[in-house]
Amino acid sequence: MADQKGTKRSSVESDAQGSKRIKTDDKYNPYLAHLNMDGANDGFKSPLDEMERHTTTALEAAKAEDSDVNPWTGKPHSENYFKILKTRRDLPVSKQRAEFLELYHKTQILVFVGETGSGKTTQIPQYVLYDELPHQTGKLIACTQPRRVAAMSVAQRVANELDVELGQEVGYSIRFENRTGPKTLLKYMTDGQLLRESMHDPNMSRYSCIILDEAHERTLATDILMALLKEIAQRRSDLKIIVMSATLDAQKFQSYFSLGKEDPPAPLLAVPGRTHPVEIFYTPEPERDYVEAAVRTVLQIHAVEPEGDILLFLTGEEEIEDACRRISLEVDDMVRESDAGPLAIYPLYGTLPPHQQQKIFDKAPEPFRKGGRPGRKCIVATNIAETSLTIDGIVYVVDPGFSKQKIYNPRSRVESLLVSPISKASAQQRAGRAGRTRPGKCFRLYTEKAFKKELIEQTYPEILRSNLSNTILELKKLGVEDLVHFDFMDPPAPETMMRALEELNYLACLDDDGGLTKLGSLASEFPLDPALAVMLISSPEFYCSNEILSITSLLSVPQIWIRPNNNRKRADEMKAQFAHPDGDHLTLLNAYHAYKGAEQSGEDVKKWCHEHFLSYRHLSSADNVRAQLKRIMETHEIELVSTPFNNKEYYTNIRRALLAGFFMQVAMKESSNSKIYKTVKDDQMVMIHPSTVVSSPYDWVVYNEFVLTTKQYIRTVTNIRPEWLLEIAPVYYDIDTFEKGEIKSALTRLTEKVKRRQAMKGGY
DNA sequence: GAGCACTGC
């Protein structure tokens, strides 16, 4: 029996002395090689066999690529392969392959800058593949992406380019889906996924090269990964790191990845993009009403500019729907009065169901009559069109200069969305959307002076705008002891860190010295916010872990309730069917149980959801989350139990269990005849969100989130009894820690009452 | 009596 491709099925590892030894993996036992053959070309000599790791030249690699037989599989290359190869060689990045390899051989950490259209995301990992020769070492190449769709689609593309089956030599790994296998050499994945993996493999020992793509987006996960990789690089000289980014921030990345303070910055390689020029226009004066100005601009473009589609950026659903209505009305007039061409208008935002999002890819409408004025489409979008979705054919971009951004106030511990001016980098990204297919124009609805003087260079990285309790827990799990000196590219505000540490301490995930507790370690295993994880872990003590598991899943997905503007009353009636008088958490659970019931009785669940004004998409995604969380619970032997449904404690137990995680999110009614509540300890005045089902006026409620809009609301609330607080979270509800006020007096009265009752019962 | 920028585990 032929040992397939010689050493290909074994792995070479460098040991401490640097000498090489051959290790045979059980899976690739040569005696079982026939099981792995799948039509491979026996006796085939791969051009890779003659190549030595970390010495590959562009010429050698190209030669291997040109071979009739696929060097990675031993199968003949398809016709299509050579067709794609030709287009790959035309990409801007291809001209710099030699330069890239030389630099790659010389350095451990490399910053790579490439504009859109340079081909970096698909090509660089393949250049690395031909140099790392992962089949020799058994170590993979990883390339991270901020978004799942990108990880999936790029992996598919690269699998095609390498003429292999997706999931074999090239695969991807995202939450809920791992399409990689024992043969996988190159793996695309989300940044969050790599971060999760690293929690069980702090040296990232499975990889020989890690490529962080789209690093300029500065997602929370990418920022943490950069800091971790910087540390790991010092322990593991065999690990190579490539940080890929758009141009603007290159220097910042270079100096961050310089190894010591005295060391030179990490080397940089820049590749031009392939886009068309975009002409920028500013308004001479600032605009007072940017929606109005945007609508006018779109109409103006439609009236006078040559053929080409329009993309307008606005901040949110309401604004977008409003603008679409206004444009549509005005265009009708234009068509009637001045013989304008047809204009198809599409709204685009994240919460739009996928089939409606798809519509933006429809062709622009045909002229009304042959030879008439051309038709075009106009897409009115949120930031989703800035990075996540690319629409070809856009020639005109209208940019009012605003977007909704998450901000975090550590003092009040509230995350909220605020309409804010965008950064210069965002403005450039938006303008670039006009030049994907041919030269375009971008109309900025602000002055050139405002662009130069008022816009910040970069949007603040997410790490500076978020609650970090989750992140801090992850870092503790990763063994980072000293968070103060942890080398963040942009260190978060000390107060944000303090708040996170404090919250984790109250949740008993960290002890008083900041050390990770057993509970904290367990909580970090769950892809959940710490409060949710602690609630879930504690739930067996309340005999309702099945139910809390469902509620946790439902709280981890977007709202399942659908309330169309033209059918609110009917939607509210349907929701009332699921309403539980004790609160919204229980109502969610009722809806979920009804959904599972419908599913089990063999109904058409999509139809059932539609009739009940429930989101099928979000309910089934809650089901997915539930399955994942359940697996984690089983792994760690957290019991799945329920109180019998006919037991009168069924709902009480659930309400009590909520407090095990959310005892810090409790509010008390200010006075008996009021709608105003006050949050415990923070003393913030809040109102219960009008979407609630609770009708009877409770004195004490637990809430899932704090929403800051026109007023301060608490959303998803459930009635609780204050005695439970003293019992379930005695440390937090130690009366001495409360400021003088109504809540303190209420708790004091309560404590005395409880003591009296215990004295009577206990008899001392 | 109101809303949900966008991602990710």
Side-chain angles (χ1 to χ4, degrees), chain A residues 148 175 190 196 350 404 563 709 713:
Chain A
R148 284 187 211 161
R175 186 182 186 181
T190 48
R196 273 272 134 200
K404 276 191 193 173
R563 198 162 181 260
T709 53
Y713 291 108

mmCIF file of all heavy atoms in Angstrom, chain A residues 148 175 190 196 350 404 563 709 713, chain B:
data_model
loop_
_atom_site.group_PDB
_atom_site.id
_atom_site.type_symbol
_atom_site.label_atom_id
_atom_site.label_comp_id
_atom_site.label_asym_id
_atom_site.label_seq_id
_atom_site.Cartn_x
_atom_site.Cartn_y
_atom_site.Cartn_z
ATOM 1 N N ARG A 148 -19.889 37.003 10.268
ATOM 2 C CA ARG A 148 -20.073 35.609 9.856
ATOM 3 C C ARG A 148 -20.177 35.454 8.353
ATOM 4 O O ARG A 148 -19.522 34.602 7.765
ATOM 5 C CB ARG A 148 -21.377 35.061 10.442
ATOM 6 C CG ARG A 148 -21.326 34.737 11.879
ATOM 7 C CD ARG A 148 -22.632 34.045 12.232
ATOM 8 N NE ARG A 148 -23.006 34.321 13.592
ATOM 9 C CZ ARG A 148 -24.235 34.164 14.082
ATOM 10 N NH1 ARG A 148 -25.206 33.768 13.290
ATOM 11 N NH2 ARG A 148 -24.490 34.427 15.328
ATOM 12 N N ARG A 175 -20.036 30.730 14.892
ATOM 13 C CA ARG A 175 -20.931 30.200 15.913
ATOM 14 C C ARG A 175 -21.999 29.355 15.234
ATOM 15 O O ARG A 175 -22.519 29.744 14.198
ATOM 16 C CB ARG A 175 -21.593 31.344 16.674
ATOM 17 C CG ARG A 175 -22.428 30.859 17.847
ATOM 18 C CD ARG A 175 -23.092 32.009 18.546
ATOM 19 N NE ARG A 175 -23.779 31.528 19.752
ATOM 20 C CZ ARG A 175 -24.458 32.312 20.552
ATOM 21 N NH1 ARG A 175 -24.575 33.587 20.309
ATOM 22 N NH2 ARG A 175 -25.041 31.804 21.618
ATOM 23 N N THR A 190 -14.786 33.890 12.491
ATOM 24 C CA THR A 190 -15.087 35.204 13.053
ATOM 25 C C THR A 190 -14.082 35.489 14.159
ATOM 26 O O THR A 190 -13.564 34.573 14.794
ATOM 27 C CB THR A 190 -16.510 35.245 13.624
ATOM 28 O OG1 THR A 190 -16.718 34.106 14.433
ATOM 29 C CG2 THR A 190 -17.543 35.277 12.520
ATOM 30 N N ARG A 196 -13.041 32.875 21.535
ATOM 31 C CA ARG A 196 -13.638 31.761 22.303
ATOM 32 C C ARG A 196 -12.669 30.585 22.353
ATOM 33 O O ARG A 196 -12.425 30.037 23.414
ATOM 34 C CB ARG A 196 -14.920 31.274 21.634
ATOM 35 C CG ARG A 196 -16.174 31.991 22.005
ATOM 36 C CD ARG A 196 -16.866 31.420 23.233
ATOM 37 N NE ARG A 196 -17.233 32.515 24.107
ATOM 38 C CZ ARG A 196 -17.493 32.394 25.406
ATOM 39 N NH1 ARG A 196 -17.419 31.230 25.993
ATOM 40 N NH2 ARG A 196 -17.812 33.445 26.126
ATOM 41 N N GLY A 350 -30.845 46.634 9.263
ATOM 42 C CA GLY A 350 -30.597 45.293 9.769
ATOM 43 C C GLY A 350 -31.807 44.498 10.188
ATOM 44 O O GLY A 350 -31.848 43.280 10.011
ATOM 45 N N LYS A 404 -26.055 56.246 14.043
ATOM 46 C CA LYS A 404 -26.318 55.946 15.449
ATOM 47 C C LYS A 404 -25.141 55.173 15.992
ATOM 48 O O LYS A 404 -24.689 54.209 15.395
ATOM 49 C CB LYS A 404 -27.587 55.098 15.592
ATOM 50 C CG LYS A 404 -28.843 55.937 15.594
ATOM 51 C CD LYS A 404 -30.054 55.129 16.008
ATOM 52 C CE LYS A 404 -31.311 55.898 15.693
ATOM 53 N NZ LYS A 404 -32.527 55.104 15.916
ATOM 54 N N ARG A 563 -44.730 44.081 15.745
ATOM 55 C CA ARG A 563 -45.831 45.019 15.906
ATOM 56 C C ARG A 563 -45.857 45.958 14.711
ATOM 57 O O ARG A 563 -45.305 47.054 14.757
ATOM 58 C CB ARG A 563 -45.631 45.813 17.197
ATOM 59 C CG ARG A 563 -46.870 46.492 17.691
ATOM 60 C CD ARG A 563 -46.703 46.856 19.161
ATOM 61 N NE ARG A 563 -47.895 47.483 19.673
ATOM 62 C CZ ARG A 563 -48.043 48.805 19.819
ATOM 63 N NH1 ARG A 563 -47.085 49.617 19.496
ATOM 64 N NH2 ARG A 563 -49.169 49.274 20.303
ATOM 65 N N THR A 709 -34.299 56.514 25.742
ATOM 66 C CA THR A 709 -34.775 57.134 24.486
ATOM 67 C C THR A 709 -35.303 58.505 24.842
ATOM 68 O O THR A 709 -34.552 59.315 25.358
ATOM 69 C CB THR A 709 -35.848 56.271 23.813
ATOM 70 O OG1 THR A 709 -36.884 55.995 24.758
ATOM 71 C CG2 THR A 709 -35.270 54.975 23.305
ATOM 72 N N TYR A 713 -36.385 54.267 30.304
ATOM 73 C CA TYR A 713 -37.284 53.140 30.515
ATOM 74 C C TYR A 713 -36.524 51.923 31.022
ATOM 75 O O TYR A 713 -35.337 51.750 30.736
ATOM 76 C CB TYR A 713 -37.948 52.742 29.195
ATOM 77 C CG TYR A 713 -38.939 53.753 28.684
ATOM 78 C CD1 TYR A 713 -38.637 54.542 27.580
ATOM 79 C CD2 TYR A 713 -40.181 53.909 29.301
ATOM 80 C CE1 TYR A 713 -39.550 55.456 27.094
ATOM 81 C CE2 TYR A 713 -41.098 54.829 28.819
ATOM 82 C CZ TYR A 713 -40.772 55.602 27.723
ATOM 83 O OH TYR A 713 -41.675 56.510 27.246
ATOM 84 P P DG B 1 -49.791 57.450 29.157
ATOM 85 O OP1 DG B 1 -49.499 57.165 30.561
ATOM 86 O OP2 DG B 1 -49.852 58.807 28.611
ATOM 87 O "O5'" DG B 1 -48.802 56.598 28.223
ATOM 88 C "C5'" DG B 1 -47.420 56.395 28.503
ATOM 89 C "C4'" DG B 1 -46.833 55.677 27.306
ATOM 90 O "O4'" DG B 1 -47.726 54.604 26.921
ATOM 91 C "C3'" DG B 1 -46.678 56.565 26.068
ATOM 92 O "O3'" DG B 1 -45.398 56.331 25.510
ATOM 93 C "C2'" DG B 1 -47.783 56.105 25.129
ATOM 94 C "C1'" DG B 1 -47.917 54.643 25.518
ATOM 95 N N9 DG B 1 -49.236 54.068 25.240
ATOM 96 C C8 DG B 1 -50.451 54.717 25.276
ATOM 97 N N7 DG B 1 -51.466 53.939 24.986
ATOM 98 C C5 DG B 1 -50.873 52.701 24.732
ATOM 99 C C6 DG B 1 -51.452 51.455 24.357
ATOM 100 O O6 DG B 1 -52.646 51.204 24.177
ATOM 101 N N1 DG B 1 -50.489 50.456 24.219
ATOM 102 C C2 DG B 1 -49.152 50.639 24.402
ATOM 103 N N2 DG B 1 -48.383 49.578 24.217
ATOM 104 N N3 DG B 1 -48.596 51.808 24.757
ATOM 105 C C4 DG B 1 -49.497 52.776 24.891
ATOM 106 P P DA B 2 -44.816 57.531 24.589
ATOM 107 O OP1 DA B 2 -44.171 58.522 25.466
ATOM 108 O OP2 DA B 2 -45.819 57.966 23.608
ATOM 109 O "O5'" DA B 2 -43.678 56.711 23.805
ATOM 110 C "C5'" DA B 2 -42.522 56.310 24.500
ATOM 111 C "C4'" DA B 2 -41.899 55.142 23.795
ATOM 112 O "O4'" DA B 2 -42.795 54.009 23.790
ATOM 113 C "C3'" DA B 2 -41.549 55.402 22.325
ATOM 114 O "O3'" DA B 2 -40.337 54.725 22.105
ATOM 115 C "C2'" DA B 2 -42.669 54.708 21.563
ATOM 116 C "C1'" DA B 2 -42.898 53.509 22.477
ATOM 117 N N9 DA B 2 -44.224 52.902 22.390
ATOM 118 C C8 DA B 2 -45.432 53.492 22.577
ATOM 119 N N7 DA B 2 -46.451 52.676 22.477
ATOM 120 C C5 DA B 2 -45.859 51.455 22.202
ATOM 121 C C6 DA B 2 -46.392 50.170 21.966
ATOM 122 N N6 DA B 2 -47.703 49.906 21.996
ATOM 123 N N1 DA B 2 -45.519 49.170 21.718
ATOM 124 C C2 DA B 2 -44.211 49.443 21.710
ATOM 125 N N3 DA B 2 -43.594 50.598 21.896
ATOM 126 C C4 DA B 2 -44.475 51.572 22.145
ATOM 127 P P DG B 3 -39.007 55.554 21.763
ATOM 128 O OP1 DG B 3 -38.403 56.062 22.999
ATOM 129 O OP2 DG B 3 -39.319 56.484 20.649
ATOM 130 O "O5'" DG B 3 -38.124 54.356 21.204
ATOM 131 C "C5'" DG B 3 -38.069 53.121 21.901
ATOM 132 C "C4'" DG B 3 -37.829 51.981 20.927
ATOM 133 O "O4'" DG B 3 -39.086 51.556 20.343
ATOM 134 C "C3'" DG B 3 -36.925 52.332 19.753
ATOM 135 O "O3'" DG B 3 -36.137 51.182 19.473
ATOM 136 C "C2'" DG B 3 -37.893 52.622 18.605
ATOM 137 C "C1'" DG B 3 -39.044 51.690 18.926
ATOM 138 N N9 DG B 3 -40.351 52.178 18.572
ATOM 139 C C8 DG B 3 -40.788 53.481 18.444
ATOM 140 N N7 DG B 3 -42.048 53.582 18.171
ATOM 141 C C5 DG B 3 -42.491 52.265 18.116
ATOM 142 C C6 DG B 3 -43.771 51.736 17.870
ATOM 143 O O6 DG B 3 -44.812 52.342 17.647
ATOM 144 N N1 DG B 3 -43.776 50.345 17.898
ATOM 145 C C2 DG B 3 -42.675 49.565 18.142
ATOM 146 N N2 DG B 3 -42.841 48.250 18.142
ATOM 147 N N3 DG B 3 -41.474 50.038 18.384
ATOM 148 C C4 DG B 3 -41.450 51.394 18.355
ATOM 149 P P DC B 4 -34.995 50.761 20.654
ATOM 150 O OP1 DC B 4 -34.976 49.331 21.028
ATOM 151 O OP2 DC B 4 -35.180 51.728 21.753
ATOM 152 O "O5'" DC B 4 -33.731 51.269 19.828
ATOM 153 C "C5'" DC B 4 -32.640 50.450 19.472
ATOM 154 C "C4'" DC B 4 -32.789 49.894 18.083
ATOM 155 O "O4'" DC B 4 -33.664 48.749 18.142
ATOM 156 C "C3'" DC B 4 -33.398 50.863 17.071
ATOM 157 O "O3'" DC B 4 -32.532 50.889 15.958
ATOM 158 C "C2'" DC B 4 -34.742 50.251 16.719
ATOM 159 C "C1'" DC B 4 -34.520 48.764 17.016
ATOM 160 N N1 DC B 4 -35.750 48.019 17.367
ATOM 161 C C2 DC B 4 -36.701 47.775 16.383
ATOM 162 O O2 DC B 4 -36.505 48.198 15.249
ATOM 163 N N3 DC B 4 -37.825 47.083 16.698
ATOM 164 C C4 DC B 4 -38.018 46.643 17.937
ATOM 165 N N4 DC B 4 -39.129 45.972 18.191
ATOM 166 C C5 DC B 4 -37.054 46.877 18.956
ATOM 167 C C6 DC B 4 -35.952 47.553 18.637
ATOM 168 P P DA B 5 -32.568 52.031 14.936
ATOM 169 O OP1 DA B 5 -33.123 53.208 15.557
ATOM 170 O OP2 DA B 5 -33.036 51.589 13.602
ATOM 171 O "O5'" DA B 5 -30.995 52.124 14.823
ATOM 172 C "C5'" DA B 5 -30.307 50.940 14.522
ATOM 173 C "C4'" DA B 5 -29.132 51.285 13.664
ATOM 174 O "O4'" DA B 5 -28.222 52.007 14.476
ATOM 175 C "C3'" DA B 5 -28.400 50.026 13.255
ATOM 176 O "O3'" DA B 5 -28.958 49.538 12.069
ATOM 177 C "C2'" DA B 5 -27.009 50.590 13.039
ATOM 178 C "C1'" DA B 5 -26.924 51.559 14.206
ATOM 179 N N9 DA B 5 -26.404 50.934 15.421
ATOM 180 C C8 DA B 5 -27.101 50.439 16.487
ATOM 181 N N7 DA B 5 -26.349 49.937 17.419
ATOM 182 C C5 DA B 5 -25.067 50.096 16.933
ATOM 183 C C6 DA B 5 -23.808 49.782 17.436
ATOM 184 N N6 DA B 5 -23.613 49.215 18.623
ATOM 185 N N1 DA B 5 -22.733 50.081 16.674
ATOM 186 C C2 DA B 5 -22.921 50.663 15.482
ATOM 187 N N3 DA B 5 -24.055 51.018 14.899
ATOM 188 C C4 DA B 5 -25.098 50.712 15.690
ATOM 189 P P DC B 6 -29.208 47.908 11.955
ATOM 190 O OP1 DC B 6 -29.757 47.663 10.621
ATOM 191 O OP2 DC B 6 -29.921 47.497 13.162
ATOM 192 O "O5'" DC B 6 -27.740 47.276 12.047
ATOM 193 C "C5'" DC B 6 -26.807 47.588 11.034
ATOM 194 C "C4'" DC B 6 -25.432 47.234 11.514
ATOM 195 O "O4'" DC B 6 -25.124 47.943 12.728
ATOM 196 C "C3'" DC B 6 -25.264 45.793 11.969
ATOM 197 O "O3'" DC B 6 -25.209 44.931 10.869
ATOM 198 C "C2'" DC B 6 -23.931 45.917 12.674
ATOM 199 C "C1'" DC B 6 -24.121 47.225 13.432
ATOM 200 N N1 DC B 6 -24.562 47.018 14.841
ATOM 201 C C2 DC B 6 -23.605 46.725 15.822
ATOM 202 O O2 DC B 6 -22.423 46.643 15.473
ATOM 203 N N3 DC B 6 -23.998 46.535 17.092
ATOM 204 C C4 DC B 6 -25.293 46.620 17.425
ATOM 205 N N4 DC B 6 -25.616 46.440 18.697
ATOM 206 C C5 DC B 6 -26.291 46.896 16.444
ATOM 207 C C6 DC B 6 -25.893 47.088 15.169
ATOM 208 P P DT B 7 -25.692 43.425 11.058
ATOM 209 O OP1 DT B 7 -26.170 42.893 9.810
ATOM 210 O OP2 DT B 7 -26.519 43.354 12.296
ATOM 211 O "O5'" DT B 7 -24.281 42.755 11.293
ATOM 212 C "C5'" DT B 7 -23.902 42.329 12.417
ATOM 213 C "C4'" DT B 7 -22.462 42.397 12.720
ATOM 214 O "O4'" DT B 7 -22.243 43.470 13.623
ATOM 215 C "C3'" DT B 7 -22.122 41.133 13.480
ATOM 216 O "O3'" DT B 7 -21.636 40.205 12.542
ATOM 217 C "C2'" DT B 7 -21.101 41.620 14.474
ATOM 218 C "C1'" DT B 7 -21.617 43.009 14.823
ATOM 219 N N1 DT B 7 -22.592 43.046 15.945
ATOM 220 C C2 DT B 7 -22.088 43.050 17.221
ATOM 221 O O2 DT B 7 -20.891 43.009 17.448
ATOM 222 N N3 DT B 7 -23.030 43.097 18.222
ATOM 223 C C4 DT B 7 -24.391 43.136 18.082
ATOM 224 O O4 DT B 7 -25.136 43.184 19.066
ATOM 225 C C5 DT B 7 -24.882 43.111 16.714
ATOM 226 C C7 DT B 7 -26.348 43.159 16.463
ATOM 227 C C6 DT B 7 -23.966 43.080 15.744
ATOM 228 P P DG B 8 -22.159 38.694 12.752
ATOM 229 O OP1 DG B 8 -21.640 37.963 11.588
ATOM 230 O OP2 DG B 8 -23.594 38.673 13.046
ATOM 231 O "O5'" DG B 8 -21.400 38.242 14.066
ATOM 232 C "C5'" DG B 8 -19.986 38.330 14.096
ATOM 233 C "C4'" DG B 8 -19.512 38.088 15.492
ATOM 234 O "O4'" DG B 8 -19.881 39.178 16.352
ATOM 235 C "C3'" DG B 8 -20.124 36.872 16.164
ATOM 236 O "O3'" DG B 8 -19.433 35.724 15.737
ATOM 237 C "C2'" DG B 8 -19.858 37.189 17.621
ATOM 238 C "C1'" DG B 8 -20.028 38.703 17.679
ATOM 239 N N9 DG B 8 -21.331 39.119 18.162
ATOM 240 C C8 DG B 8 -22.471 39.317 17.423
ATOM 241 N N7 DG B 8 -23.488 39.691 18.133
ATOM 242 C C5 DG B 8 -22.989 39.751 19.437
ATOM 243 C C6 DG B 8 -23.629 40.096 20.658
ATOM 244 O O6 DG B 8 -24.803 40.436 20.819
ATOM 245 N N1 DG B 8 -22.749 40.002 21.726
ATOM 246 C C2 DG B 8 -21.442 39.638 21.645
ATOM 247 N N2 DG B 8 -20.761 39.615 22.788
ATOM 248 N N3 DG B 8 -20.826 39.317 20.511
ATOM 249 C C4 DG B 8 -21.662 39.390 19.454
ATOM 250 P P DC B 9 -20.072 34.303 15.982
ATOM 251 O OP1 DC B 9 -19.303 33.352 15.179
ATOM 252 O OP2 DC B 9 -21.526 34.417 15.816
ATOM 253 O "O5'" DC B 9 -19.768 34.046 17.503
ATOM 254 C "C5'" DC B 9 -18.404 33.887 17.900
ATOM 255 C "C4'" DC B 9 -18.389 33.612 19.370
ATOM 256 O "O4'" DC B 9 -19.004 34.720 20.049
ATOM 257 C "C3'" DC B 9 -19.203 32.395 19.760
ATOM 258 O "O3'" DC B 9 -18.311 31.327 20.047
ATOM 259 C "C2'" DC B 9 -19.940 32.786 21.035
ATOM 260 C "C1'" DC B 9 -19.639 34.249 21.219
ATOM 261 N N1 DC B 9 -20.834 35.079 21.421
ATOM 262 C C2 DC B 9 -21.120 35.549 22.713
ATOM 263 O O2 DC B 9 -20.349 35.255 23.631
ATOM 264 N N3 DC B 9 -22.217 36.300 22.914
ATOM 265 C C4 DC B 9 -23.016 36.599 21.886
ATOM 266 N N4 DC B 9 -24.080 37.337 22.113
ATOM 267 C C5 DC B 9 -22.749 36.120 20.561
ATOM 268 C C6 DC B 9 -21.651 35.363 20.366
#
